[in-house]
Amino acid sequence: MATETPPPSKTQVALPSAEEFAAVRESAEFGELRRSHRSFAFPLTVAFIAWYLLYVLLSNYAGDFMGTKLVGNLNVALALGLAQFLTTFLIAWWYARHAAAKLDPRAEAIKSRMEGGA
């Protein structure tokens, strides 16, 4: 089986000390990385949970509305249920793009500096 990933390096990387970890944790660069992650992830998490709870509440208390036929055998409940899956995949895709563009380069810079001792 062929893979495109090279085998792991045999060289040992010097692990940072607890003081170095603490210094990085307190740095402005790490703070900006956390802020960037939280400003994206927290609002989307709250929005998705609210959207999910709305679906559950509608299913429990608005049976007539959820049973409304849209097209053929497709009713509002099924359409909103399928929309739950769609939004889950869209949020995952959007987060992957955000992480690749904004979070991963910053995290890699911090990691390489800690491993390299720079």
Side-chain angles (χ1 to χ4, degrees):
M1 170 170 58
T3 62
E4 295 186 25
T5 306
S9 175
K10 301 285 184 195
T11 61
Q12 289 287 342
V13 176
L15 295 176
S17 67
E19 292 80 21
E20 290 170 319
F21 273 114
V24 168
R25 185 183 64 228
E26 300 300 322
S27 72
E29 184 180 22
F30 187 74
E32 181 57 35
L33 175 64
R34 280 193 350 226
R35 204 169 10 268
S36 180
H37 167 70
R38 289 176 178 173
S39 68
F40 186 90
F42 288 175
L44 275 180
T45 301
V46 169
F48 184 79
I49 290 172
W51 157 230
Y52 176 74
L53 289 177
L54 174 68
Y55 176 71
V56 170
L57 291 172
L58 286 173
S59 295
N60 284 324
Y61 300 111
D64 292 338
F65 170 70
M66 295 296 270
T68 304
K69 298 261 186 200
L70 297 176
V71 176
N73 287 333
L74 179 68
N75 61 14
V76 172
L78 183 58
L80 292 179
L82 293 173
Q84 289 284 320
F85 286 103
L86 178 64
T87 54
T88 300
F89 290 114
L90 286 174
I91 288 171
W93 170 77
W94 193 13
Y95 179 77
R97 287 192 54 198
H98 171 74
K102 300 225 165 81
L103 303 178
D104 293 347
R106 291 177 183 170
E108 187 59 39
I110 292 170
K111 178 184 172 208
S112 65
R113 197 169 47 258
M114 287 190 77
E115 288 178 346

mmCIF file of all heavy atoms in Angstrom, residues 4 21 27 31-33 45-46 51 54-56 59 70 73 78 81 83-85 87 90 96-97 101-103 113 117:
data_model
loop_
_atom_site.group_PDB
_atom_site.id
_atom_site.type_symbol
_atom_site.label_atom_id
_atom_site.label_comp_id
_atom_site.label_asym_id
_atom_site.label_seq_id
_atom_site.Cartn_x
_atom_site.Cartn_y
_atom_site.Cartn_z
ATOM 1 N N GLU A 4 1.357 8.756 0.736
ATOM 2 C CA GLU A 4 2.089 9.970 0.375
ATOM 3 C C GLU A 4 2.774 10.598 1.570
ATOM 4 O O GLU A 4 3.546 11.521 1.420
ATOM 5 C CB GLU A 4 1.125 10.958 -0.276
ATOM 6 C CG GLU A 4 0.581 10.442 -1.601
ATOM 7 C CD GLU A 4 -0.249 11.475 -2.313
ATOM 8 O OE1 GLU A 4 -0.043 12.671 -2.077
ATOM 9 O OE2 GLU A 4 -1.085 11.065 -3.111
ATOM 10 N N PHE A 21 5.873 26.563 28.283
ATOM 11 C CA PHE A 21 4.444 26.421 28.001
ATOM 12 C C PHE A 21 3.665 27.574 28.624
ATOM 13 O O PHE A 21 2.777 28.146 28.003
ATOM 14 C CB PHE A 21 3.902 25.092 28.531
ATOM 15 C CG PHE A 21 4.048 23.959 27.563
ATOM 16 C CD1 PHE A 21 4.898 22.905 27.850
ATOM 17 C CD2 PHE A 21 3.331 23.928 26.383
ATOM 18 C CE1 PHE A 21 5.031 21.843 26.966
ATOM 19 C CE2 PHE A 21 3.463 22.874 25.490
ATOM 20 C CZ PHE A 21 4.313 21.836 25.786
ATOM 21 N N SER A 27 1.221 34.553 26.084
ATOM 22 C CA SER A 27 1.632 35.446 24.998
ATOM 23 C C SER A 27 0.433 36.013 24.247
ATOM 24 O O SER A 27 -0.650 35.424 24.206
ATOM 25 C CB SER A 27 2.552 34.713 24.016
ATOM 26 O OG SER A 27 1.809 33.777 23.265
ATOM 27 N N GLY A 31 -3.025 34.195 22.687
ATOM 28 C CA GLY A 31 -4.310 34.806 23.017
ATOM 29 C C GLY A 31 -5.118 35.120 21.773
ATOM 30 O O GLY A 31 -6.330 34.903 21.730
ATOM 31 N N GLU A 32 -4.454 35.604 20.744
ATOM 32 C CA GLU A 32 -5.138 35.895 19.480
ATOM 33 C C GLU A 32 -5.609 34.599 18.806
ATOM 34 O O GLU A 32 -6.692 34.567 18.219
ATOM 35 C CB GLU A 32 -4.212 36.675 18.547
ATOM 36 C CG GLU A 32 -4.822 37.046 17.226
ATOM 37 C CD GLU A 32 -6.109 37.853 17.353
ATOM 38 O OE1 GLU A 32 -6.215 38.665 18.278
ATOM 39 O OE2 GLU A 32 -7.015 37.648 16.517
ATOM 40 N N LEU A 33 -4.823 33.546 18.896
ATOM 41 C CA LEU A 33 -5.232 32.248 18.350
ATOM 42 C C LEU A 33 -6.488 31.744 19.057
ATOM 43 O O LEU A 33 -7.455 31.328 18.413
ATOM 44 C CB LEU A 33 -4.091 31.228 18.500
ATOM 45 C CG LEU A 33 -4.406 29.791 18.092
ATOM 46 C CD1 LEU A 33 -4.722 29.710 16.612
ATOM 47 C CD2 LEU A 33 -3.229 28.890 18.441
ATOM 48 N N THR A 45 -21.780 27.350 17.569
ATOM 49 C CA THR A 45 -22.288 26.306 18.452
ATOM 50 C C THR A 45 -23.615 26.723 19.069
ATOM 51 O O THR A 45 -24.576 25.948 19.076
ATOM 52 C CB THR A 45 -21.266 25.983 19.557
ATOM 53 O OG1 THR A 45 -20.052 25.547 18.938
ATOM 54 C CG2 THR A 45 -21.772 24.912 20.497
ATOM 55 N N VAL A 46 -23.684 27.947 19.563
ATOM 56 C CA VAL A 46 -24.927 28.445 20.158
ATOM 57 C C VAL A 46 -26.034 28.487 19.105
ATOM 58 O O VAL A 46 -27.173 28.066 19.371
ATOM 59 C CB VAL A 46 -24.696 29.832 20.791
ATOM 60 C CG1 VAL A 46 -26.014 30.495 21.170
ATOM 61 C CG2 VAL A 46 -23.786 29.714 22.000
ATOM 62 N N TRP A 51 -31.005 26.189 16.905
ATOM 63 C CA TRP A 51 -31.696 25.653 15.734
ATOM 64 C C TRP A 51 -32.181 24.237 16.012
ATOM 65 O O TRP A 51 -33.320 23.873 15.696
ATOM 66 C CB TRP A 51 -30.752 25.739 14.547
ATOM 67 C CG TRP A 51 -30.926 24.861 13.363
ATOM 68 C CD1 TRP A 51 -29.952 24.107 12.781
ATOM 69 C CD2 TRP A 51 -32.092 24.659 12.556
ATOM 70 N NE1 TRP A 51 -30.456 23.445 11.696
ATOM 71 C CE2 TRP A 51 -31.769 23.770 11.533
ATOM 72 C CE3 TRP A 51 -33.393 25.136 12.635
ATOM 73 C CZ2 TRP A 51 -32.679 23.348 10.575
ATOM 74 C CZ3 TRP A 51 -34.305 24.709 11.673
ATOM 75 C CH2 TRP A 51 -33.941 23.829 10.658
ATOM 76 N N LEU A 54 -35.084 24.384 18.524
ATOM 77 C CA LEU A 54 -36.288 24.846 17.835
ATOM 78 C C LEU A 54 -36.955 23.683 17.115
ATOM 79 O O LEU A 54 -38.180 23.512 17.189
ATOM 80 C CB LEU A 54 -35.947 25.954 16.839
ATOM 81 C CG LEU A 54 -37.097 26.417 15.953
ATOM 82 C CD1 LEU A 54 -38.151 27.135 16.790
ATOM 83 C CD2 LEU A 54 -36.576 27.305 14.839
ATOM 84 N N TYR A 55 -36.157 22.875 16.450
ATOM 85 C CA TYR A 55 -36.689 21.700 15.753
ATOM 86 C C TYR A 55 -37.362 20.737 16.733
ATOM 87 O O TYR A 55 -38.466 20.249 16.488
ATOM 88 C CB TYR A 55 -35.557 20.997 14.994
ATOM 89 C CG TYR A 55 -35.966 19.718 14.323
ATOM 90 C CD1 TYR A 55 -36.784 19.734 13.208
ATOM 91 C CD2 TYR A 55 -35.531 18.494 14.802
ATOM 92 C CE1 TYR A 55 -37.167 18.545 12.581
ATOM 93 C CE2 TYR A 55 -35.903 17.304 14.194
ATOM 94 C CZ TYR A 55 -36.722 17.351 13.085
ATOM 95 O OH TYR A 55 -37.100 16.190 12.467
ATOM 96 N N VAL A 56 -36.717 20.481 17.864
ATOM 97 C CA VAL A 56 -37.283 19.575 18.865
ATOM 98 C C VAL A 56 -38.576 20.152 19.437
ATOM 99 O O VAL A 56 -39.581 19.442 19.578
ATOM 100 C CB VAL A 56 -36.255 19.285 19.977
ATOM 101 C CG1 VAL A 56 -36.893 18.554 21.146
ATOM 102 C CG2 VAL A 56 -35.092 18.487 19.429
ATOM 103 N N SER A 59 -41.322 19.930 16.956
ATOM 104 C CA SER A 59 -41.764 18.536 16.835
ATOM 105 C C SER A 59 -42.692 18.146 17.979
ATOM 106 O O SER A 59 -43.642 17.397 17.789
ATOM 107 C CB SER A 59 -40.567 17.594 16.809
ATOM 108 O OG SER A 59 -39.798 17.819 15.653
ATOM 109 N N LEU A 70 -45.517 19.555 2.124
ATOM 110 C CA LEU A 70 -44.877 20.516 1.225
ATOM 111 C C LEU A 70 -44.992 20.041 -0.219
ATOM 112 O O LEU A 70 -45.518 20.746 -1.068
ATOM 113 C CB LEU A 70 -43.409 20.715 1.610
ATOM 114 C CG LEU A 70 -43.153 21.314 2.987
ATOM 115 C CD1 LEU A 70 -41.664 21.351 3.274
ATOM 116 C CD2 LEU A 70 -43.752 22.704 3.085
ATOM 117 N N ASN A 73 -44.999 13.362 -0.291
ATOM 118 C CA ASN A 73 -44.922 12.897 1.099
ATOM 119 C C ASN A 73 -43.944 13.696 1.946
ATOM 120 O O ASN A 73 -43.684 13.342 3.093
ATOM 121 C CB ASN A 73 -44.541 11.418 1.140
ATOM 122 C CG ASN A 73 -45.685 10.537 0.692
ATOM 123 O OD1 ASN A 73 -46.848 10.921 0.827
ATOM 124 N ND2 ASN A 73 -45.357 9.382 0.158
ATOM 125 N N LEU A 78 -39.939 16.589 8.028
ATOM 126 C CA LEU A 78 -38.881 15.902 7.291
ATOM 127 C C LEU A 78 -37.921 16.911 6.659
ATOM 128 O O LEU A 78 -36.698 16.724 6.693
ATOM 129 C CB LEU A 78 -39.473 14.987 6.222
ATOM 130 C CG LEU A 78 -38.481 14.151 5.418
ATOM 131 C CD1 LEU A 78 -37.652 13.273 6.342
ATOM 132 C CD2 LEU A 78 -39.204 13.312 4.403
ATOM 133 N N GLY A 81 -35.780 18.283 9.400
ATOM 134 C CA GLY A 81 -34.862 17.238 9.857
ATOM 135 C C GLY A 81 -33.699 17.058 8.900
ATOM 136 O O GLY A 81 -32.544 16.927 9.320
ATOM 137 N N ALA A 83 -32.657 19.364 6.919
ATOM 138 C CA ALA A 83 -31.884 20.609 7.023
ATOM 139 C C ALA A 83 -30.912 20.551 8.202
ATOM 140 O O ALA A 83 -29.846 21.178 8.160
ATOM 141 C CB ALA A 83 -32.817 21.809 7.153
ATOM 142 N N GLN A 84 -31.256 19.790 9.245
ATOM 143 C CA GLN A 84 -30.334 19.609 10.371
ATOM 144 C C GLN A 84 -29.039 18.951 9.892
ATOM 145 O O GLN A 84 -27.947 19.374 10.261
ATOM 146 C CB GLN A 84 -30.979 18.736 11.456
ATOM 147 C CG GLN A 84 -32.093 19.392 12.210
ATOM 148 C CD GLN A 84 -31.589 20.388 13.228
ATOM 149 O OE1 GLN A 84 -30.596 20.156 13.912
ATOM 150 N NE2 GLN A 84 -32.276 21.499 13.326
ATOM 151 N N PHE A 85 -29.177 17.909 9.082
ATOM 152 C CA PHE A 85 -27.981 17.248 8.537
ATOM 153 C C PHE A 85 -27.195 18.201 7.646
ATOM 154 O O PHE A 85 -25.966 18.278 7.725
ATOM 155 C CB PHE A 85 -28.363 15.994 7.738
ATOM 156 C CG PHE A 85 -28.772 14.848 8.594
ATOM 157 C CD1 PHE A 85 -30.103 14.522 8.745
ATOM 158 C CD2 PHE A 85 -27.827 14.090 9.263
ATOM 159 C CE1 PHE A 85 -30.489 13.455 9.538
ATOM 160 C CE2 PHE A 85 -28.189 13.019 10.062
ATOM 161 C CZ PHE A 85 -29.535 12.709 10.199
ATOM 162 N N THR A 87 -27.072 21.501 7.692
ATOM 163 C CA THR A 87 -26.362 22.531 8.454
ATOM 164 C C THR A 87 -25.175 21.945 9.212
ATOM 165 O O THR A 87 -24.153 22.612 9.366
ATOM 166 C CB THR A 87 -27.303 23.267 9.421
ATOM 167 O OG1 THR A 87 -27.962 22.326 10.252
ATOM 168 C CG2 THR A 87 -28.305 24.115 8.683
ATOM 169 N N LEU A 90 -22.450 21.711 6.628
ATOM 170 C CA LEU A 90 -22.003 23.050 6.242
ATOM 171 C C LEU A 90 -21.140 23.693 7.322
ATOM 172 O O LEU A 90 -20.114 24.311 7.020
ATOM 173 C CB LEU A 90 -23.205 23.948 5.923
ATOM 174 C CG LEU A 90 -23.899 23.682 4.604
ATOM 175 C CD1 LEU A 90 -25.156 24.545 4.473
ATOM 176 C CD2 LEU A 90 -22.957 23.943 3.438
ATOM 177 N N ALA A 96 -13.642 23.881 8.900
ATOM 178 C CA ALA A 96 -12.398 23.352 8.318
ATOM 179 C C ALA A 96 -11.704 24.426 7.483
ATOM 180 O O ALA A 96 -10.471 24.559 7.532
ATOM 181 C CB ALA A 96 -12.694 22.125 7.469
ATOM 182 N N ARG A 97 -12.479 25.187 6.719
ATOM 183 C CA ARG A 97 -11.888 26.279 5.932
ATOM 184 C C ARG A 97 -11.317 27.356 6.840
ATOM 185 O O ARG A 97 -10.219 27.872 6.597
ATOM 186 C CB ARG A 97 -12.934 26.894 5.008
ATOM 187 C CG ARG A 97 -13.278 25.994 3.844
ATOM 188 C CD ARG A 97 -14.069 26.720 2.799
ATOM 189 N NE ARG A 97 -13.367 27.921 2.403
ATOM 190 C CZ ARG A 97 -13.936 28.940 1.777
ATOM 191 N NH1 ARG A 97 -15.199 28.902 1.474
ATOM 192 N NH2 ARG A 97 -13.240 29.998 1.443
ATOM 193 N N ALA A 101 -7.320 28.332 7.131
ATOM 194 C CA ALA A 101 -6.891 29.677 6.726
ATOM 195 C C ALA A 101 -6.362 30.514 7.886
ATOM 196 O O ALA A 101 -5.379 31.247 7.733
ATOM 197 C CB ALA A 101 -8.051 30.417 6.062
ATOM 198 N N LYS A 102 -6.983 30.398 9.061
ATOM 199 C CA LYS A 102 -6.647 31.321 10.149
ATOM 200 C C LYS A 102 -5.991 30.663 11.355
ATOM 201 O O LYS A 102 -5.109 31.248 11.973
ATOM 202 C CB LYS A 102 -7.923 32.029 10.602
ATOM 203 C CG LYS A 102 -8.578 32.818 9.491
ATOM 204 C CD LYS A 102 -8.991 34.163 9.961
ATOM 205 C CE LYS A 102 -9.307 35.077 8.820
ATOM 206 N NZ LYS A 102 -10.561 34.978 8.222
ATOM 207 N N LEU A 103 -6.437 29.473 11.718
ATOM 208 C CA LEU A 103 -5.942 28.872 12.958
ATOM 209 C C LEU A 103 -4.674 28.048 12.759
ATOM 210 O O LEU A 103 -3.720 28.174 13.523
ATOM 211 C CB LEU A 103 -7.024 27.986 13.586
ATOM 212 C CG LEU A 103 -8.357 28.664 13.898
ATOM 213 C CD1 LEU A 103 -9.337 27.663 14.476
ATOM 214 C CD2 LEU A 103 -8.176 29.844 14.805
ATOM 215 N N ARG A 113 8.084 27.268 16.801
ATOM 216 C CA ARG A 113 8.941 28.077 17.650
ATOM 217 C C ARG A 113 9.228 27.365 18.977
ATOM 218 O O ARG A 113 10.348 27.385 19.472
ATOM 219 C CB ARG A 113 8.288 29.439 17.905
ATOM 220 C CG ARG A 113 9.256 30.460 18.403
ATOM 221 C CD ARG A 113 8.734 31.878 18.424
ATOM 222 N NE ARG A 113 7.408 32.035 18.999
ATOM 223 C CZ ARG A 113 6.286 32.198 18.284
ATOM 224 N NH1 ARG A 113 6.343 32.225 16.964
ATOM 225 N NH2 ARG A 113 5.119 32.339 18.873
ATOM 226 N N GLY A 117 12.900 25.985 19.774
ATOM 227 C CA GLY A 117 13.570 26.730 20.836
ATOM 228 C C GLY A 117 13.833 28.176 20.471
ATOM 229 O O GLY A 117 14.601 28.866 21.110
#
